[in-house]
Amino acid sequence: MKQYLLAALLLASAIAVAHAQDEPEQQDAPAAAPPPPEDGETDEPAPAPPKPPPRASTPKYTVPFADGMLRLPGGRFTMGSGDPDAPPNERPPHKETVAAFWIDKTEVTVEAYRACVDRHMCARPVRKSADCTYDLDDPSLPISCVSWKDADTYCRAVGKRLPREAEWEFAARATFPVRYPWGGGWTYCTVAATLVRDSSSRTCTGKRPSKVGAHPSGSSPFGVLDLTGNVEEWTSDWYAEHVAEGAAPRAGASHVLRGGGWLSSPSASRTTSRNWGSSMEAGPNVGFRCAKD
């Protein structure tokens, strides 16, 4: 009897071992991915994307460069946007012709503007915000918080002028219907200092714009820098909601701003984006560059 009982126990043990070998080994459950950060204001610059956007097939021109300015050949091009989703003030697209002209390769810097103030030829910008660049510790930042009159005065003091709106857009895209100066259909923090994206209030550069010329991969076909982002730029033109061919207004209540700034959304910083500023406009998102014939 004991022999039968021992044999039964041995058989049961063998069956249990066999079943255990047939069961798959349990795997630890993968760790849950951390939730994505929510959009919101932050003091830290946004992380750079893994790679810059691809450049479209727009060519890069080599143009004369002297004293910080590029000599653009001029030409006839389509100004404005034919996109039905574009804001009404960018339509209708129309033909414009610009003569050859010079334009600053970068926006006017704090250092350059301060030199004009020191010569008693320019007014010291009114400090309307802690983000105004004149009193910050970096002379290579673009000057900001300047009114249209201050910008116009500076350009005249150095023997130049503010660019015309058509000249500005020609400098940004030449004769090509591109959304951004570098030819791409979207913008990244590696090519322009704007808000990170339209749905975010976070900027690419933290508490201030970038140094002028810090985004060479975002240059225009002519090599002009920072035409998207960093600071919005004054032009000489009076603002009108719709501008047909050759119909720039001769008077008005405000002037045209172009290009968007570090506090502007990417969609408001395209080559055709238009904004306006009154004579009192002088915020931390506003600066300028000069041109000459």
Side-chain angles (χ1 to χ4, degrees):
M1 183 70 179
K2 289 181 179 180
Q3 291 176 345
Y4 290 122
L5 181 59
L6 179 60
L9 290 173
L10 291 174
L11 179 61
S13 298
I15 292 172
V17 169
H19 282 189
Q21 290 175 343
D22 290 340
E23 292 178 357
E25 184 179 356
Q26 285 188 330
Q27 300 292 326
D28 291 336
E38 296 182 357
D39 288 338
E41 294 184 356
T42 177
D43 292 343
E44 296 297 326
K51 60 182 180 179
R55 182 182 288 276
S57 58
T58 52
K60 293 287 284 184
Y61 298 110
T62 300
V63 297
F65 176 70
D67 300 324
M69 304 188 81
L70 293 163
R71 174 74 168 174
L72 274 54
R76 188 165 177 81
F77 74 108
T78 300
M79 183 175 174
S81 175
D83 185 347
D85 295 327
N89 70 349
E90 298 178 26
R91 305 195 301 265
H94 57 279
K95 294 294 184 181
E96 289 286 349
T97 301
V98 295
F101 66 102
W102 292 87
I103 191 166
D104 288 343
K105 185 174 183 177
T106 69
E107 294 151 336
V108 173
T109 63
V110 170
E111 181 179 28
Y113 193 89
R114 186 173 288 141
C116 188
V117 173
D118 292 342
R119 295 195 304 271
H120 307 290
M121 300 178 72
C122 295
R124 192 182 193 280
V126 177
R127 190 171 185 269
K128 295 189 173 184
S129 164
D131 296 327
C132 294
T133 55
Y134 189 83
D135 293 313
L136 297 182
D137 57 357
D138 191 341
S140 60
L141 294 174
I143 188 65
S144 67
C145 299
V146 285
S147 67
W148 184 90
K149 181 179 179 181
D150 288 342
D152 182 62
T153 297
Y154 171 89
C155 288
R156 292 177 184 276
V158 296
K160 303 178 186 180
R161 57 173 174 79
L162 286 172
R164 303 178 186 95
E165 184 180 11
E167 290 175 334
W168 190 99
E169 188 165 323
F170 183 75
R173 61 176 183 154
T175 58
F176 306 106
V178 291
R179 290 173 59 86
Y180 295 99
W182 53 89
W186 195 245
T187 183
Y188 295 74
C189 290
T190 52
V191 291
T194 62
L195 295 181
V196 175
R197 54 185 177 273
D198 281 2
S199 60
S200 174
S201 60
R202 185 172 51 185
T203 73
C204 286
T205 54
K207 288 186 174 182
R208 58 178 64 180
S210 65
K211 298 174 186 289
V212 301
H215 298 88
S217 58
S219 66
S220 80
F222 296 112
V224 188
L225 300 170
D226 298 322
L227 288 169
T228 282
N230 225 29
V231 286
E232 290 185 286
E233 299 178 13
W234 288 114
T235 70
S236 63
D237 291 59
W238 293 100
Y239 179 81
E241 189 68 11
H242 301 284
V243 180
E245 182 175 354
R250 296 180 179 275
S254 55
H255 284 91
V256 177
L257 286 162
R258 298 297 301 256
W262 64 292
L263 299 175
S264 302
S265 65
S267 66
S269 306
R270 295 170 292 108
T271 57
T272 56
S273 296
R274 303 178 71 232
N275 197 3
W276 59 271
S278 71
S279 60
M280 303 300 293
E281 176 68 45
N285 203 40
V286 176
F288 67 102
R289 75 180 73 220
C290 300
K292 70 178 183 179
D293 297 321

